[in-house]
Amino acid sequence: MQNLRFCFLLFYFLVFSKGIAQEKFTLSGIITEEKSNETLIGVNIIFPSLQTGTTTNEYGFYSITLPKGTYSVVISYLGYSTIAETVELTSNISKNFSLINSLENLDEVVITENIEKLSIKKPQMSVNKLTASTIKEIPVVLGESDIIKAITLLPGVTSTGEGTSGFNVRGGAADQNLILLDEATIYNSSHLFGLFSVFNPDAIKDLRLYKGGIPARYGGRVSSVLDIYQKEGNSKQFHMNGGIGLVSSRLLTEGPLKKDKGSFLLGGRSSYAHLFLPLFDIDNIAYFYDLNTKLSYKINSKNNIYLSGYFGRDVFRIEDTFENTYGNSVLNFRWNHLFSDKLFSNLSFIYSDYYYDLKLSFVEFDWKSGIQNFNLKYDFKHYLTNNLKLQYGLNSVYYKFNPGEINPTTETSGINKFKLIDKYAFENALYVDAEHNLSDNVSISYGLRLSSFLRLGQDELNIYENDQAVIFNDDFKIYEKADPIDTETYKRSDIITSFINLEPRFSLAYQLNSNSSIKTSYNKMNQYLHLLSNTNAPTPLDIWTPSGKYIKPQSLHQVAVGYFKNFKDNKYSLEVESFYKTIKNRIDYIDGADLIANNAIEQVILNGKARAYGLELLLRKNEGRLKGWLAYTLSKSEQQTKGRTANEIGINNGNWYKTPYDKTHDISITTSYDWNNRLSVNANFLFQTGQPVTYPNGQYEYNDLHIPNYGARNENRLPSYNRLDVSLKYIPKQKKERKWSSHWVFSIYNVYNRKNAASITFGQNSDTGLNEATRLAIFGIVPSISYNFKL
């Protein structure tokens, strides 16, 4: 009891002792963009005389408690004019601020003191942020701005392949990334099999990628969190903007439902290249469309409600033989409530759905699969003192998995109707996060997440001898499917298997001086969902499956340490980070695994482990006519699946082997040069070590056929990948009285026309009968042009 009392008194002293003798009051409010009333995320509210401050949360709210007095407060945000005001704090004050876009304000307040040094003090590390304007400046294939392509230019992030929308973070798989759009899970982030991402850059307000030191409010994936928020819409006046490109166009409208109280946002995109295919006697079709929408309404000063949604579909058809339709649907209702000037809450009801449909006319059947979830989130942010902020909440998700359903499309079809067994699960979590300033030089962030996963009852579950769905053949030294010895039937309310895990999170920052700091972090995370795929990049056909009796949840431990420095009043910044992570129960497949339409997927899966480690460097130039960054990553990513007994050889003889996401060297250079007010040039260069693959190491002849023999898994590599992209933005001269503004973007993807290998396959030449290698390159040089407008 005495020890407990001592701990409580020590905690009380650390948190509250600095202000015991001083009367304190709270300044709180909302910060918005002046012309649209759009709330702004991450705005700096700085009190220079106290060398302290805070930032706005995801809904533009801020709160800070200070001793009684009169202070100068500085409000700053990238791309907006800085506000400097004097605040007399003699009572609790609610004060809102509106910021003006710096391009529209000629009388900008200039603060000589660097007001963005606060980021050096924060313990959060391994986080990258990109604005919509930066994303739009990056040259991409076919001229369509792409969020996923943009983040692959950051350290520790690599593309899953040429022309794909999946991404890998710190040597992890694509399914280990949690992708959120307005808090709703996006299960497939690509359009047209990876040529475009599903995110409309015109509708995006904020983007953050967490690679490590991930806060406890996030869970369910073990590599990263990509958290994206949509705009709320303009509650002051109607606006419209869009763009017309060679293969796709987009349009976004926003305006008030009730001035200064409510707003709407409606955005759409569609590709139309397929409309021109009949001119060339081509019967094929490939197109996508998506819709972003959001309604926002301010009930009063303490309550706001939001309804946001996304709907997207892709259609791909080859004549009358093949038709593929797939896409995401999400809907989110949110209620923001301010209990007091120190306690902010957000309640969300979220629906997410991923749908996949494949019609094969030549065999007369229709294949459908997908995943649905219903999500309840209740989050609180509590500003206890200026030195201690808490975030806590709960999260419950109900899943329904449809592994596949086959229906005949004609009465004469020889295909019988077949339904794979649906699966159900329930995932819950409680979390608490604390951000604590211990002294002027030391700040820490610590949290704990309690996660649980319940595999619910299903119509039928296979039972195996010794609970082993995969057996080892000692004679042939190979893994084979085990035959079920029985089946078991459950009610939906039954619990087949349950998992409970504690997930601690910790970050620390030590400020060396006003311009530099060192940081370190640790996080443990668990992933209960797995993506079944025999490709390195996400495809629409991939199937999600839950953890259960035979498939264990993945478990991550990650540590990171870094050095951070600002140069010349924040004109330049340097970030250097090193990380090491291990993952238990990473799924691996036996040789020859069949993943499609498999009602007993546990028969081809083994549980292994993975590890990744590396060094990341990010050097930025933040100001001036020339801006940009240099990113470099040196890393290694490996996987191992040992035998379960002394007789079993495991996968790859139980040895560590390179994962398909192992890229030893990854270099990207991104630049933007403002030639003048109407002309700017952008360029980016990428170099990556080639993707690990398995090549034949010999061949043998059987019945006059030359059959290749393959070596160890992933012991070879594709040739290294590199390319240069450039774009030019031109703004025509505009009359001052015109509300219409526009600009042209001319871009060239892969300027020097390098044929980067997407794959190298080996087969038999029909003429010579000999084996030969075939190199596939998806893109050469791709010029494009787009016209963008704003009203």
Side-chain angles (χ1 to χ4, degrees), residues 567-717:
F567 301 88
K568 297 185 177 180
D569 290 330
N570 208 45
K571 290 181 181 178
Y572 299 88
S573 61
L574 173 67
E575 302 175 25
V576 181
E577 291 191 35
S578 180
F579 68 90
Y580 181 86
K581 65 181 185 180
T582 61
I583 299 174
K584 290 197 320 184
N585 299 325
R586 176 60 184 161
I587 62 173
D588 208 340
Y589 305 110
I590 67 174
D591 292 332
D594 54 320
L595 305 181
I596 308 302
N598 189 341
N599 217 4
I601 197 66
E602 68 274 4
Q603 294 178 344
V604 297
I605 290 176
L606 291 173
N607 288 315
K609 59 182 179 180
R611 66 185 180 191
Y613 47 92
L615 178 71
E616 300 170 356
L617 181 147
L618 179 63
L619 177 63
R620 286 182 180 268
K621 186 177 187 296
N622 302 309
E623 300 176 11
R625 296 172 68 181
L626 177 65
K627 296 184 288 291
W629 67 82
L630 165 67
Y632 173 69
T633 306
L634 173 67
S635 64
K636 192 174 187 63
S637 174
E638 298 176 303
Q639 190 164 337
Q640 183 187 47
T641 305
K642 290 184 175 181
R644 295 166 298 185
T645 66
N647 293 331
E648 294 187 12
I649 61 173
I651 303 296
N652 199 53
N653 292 319
N655 298 319
W656 287 99
Y657 65 90
K658 296 185 286 288
T659 70
Y661 338 109
D662 177 64
K663 308 285 180 69
T664 308
H665 301 284
D666 177 24
I667 303 171
S668 62
I669 303 172
T670 305
T671 60
S672 173
Y673 182 75
D674 297 326
W675 199 272
N676 52 45
N677 291 335
R678 296 169 55 194
L679 192 65
S680 62
V681 180
N682 303 279
N684 53 260
F685 172 78
L686 285 84
F687 174 89
Q688 291 180 356
T689 301
Q691 178 179 298
V693 291
T694 306
Y695 290 155
N697 59 4
Q699 63 179 16
Y700 60 91
E701 189 172 336
Y702 178 76
N703 288 341
D704 296 327
L705 295 175
H706 295 275
I707 300 174
N709 181 68
Y710 288 86
R713 188 176 289 193
N714 288 349
E715 68 175 352
N716 309 108
R717 288 186 184 273

Side-chain angles (χ1 to χ4, degrees), residues 234-263:
N234 193 319
S235 66
K236 288 183 175 290
Q237 53 188 328
F238 177 82
H239 277 284
M240 179 175 67
N241 64 279
I244 302 172
L246 294 179
V247 296
S248 65
S249 291
R250 65 190 190 278
L251 180 67
L252 183 138
T253 61
E254 55 182 327
L257 295 171
K258 184 177 181 181
K259 191 170 183 180
D260 293 328
K261 293 278 287 184
S263 63

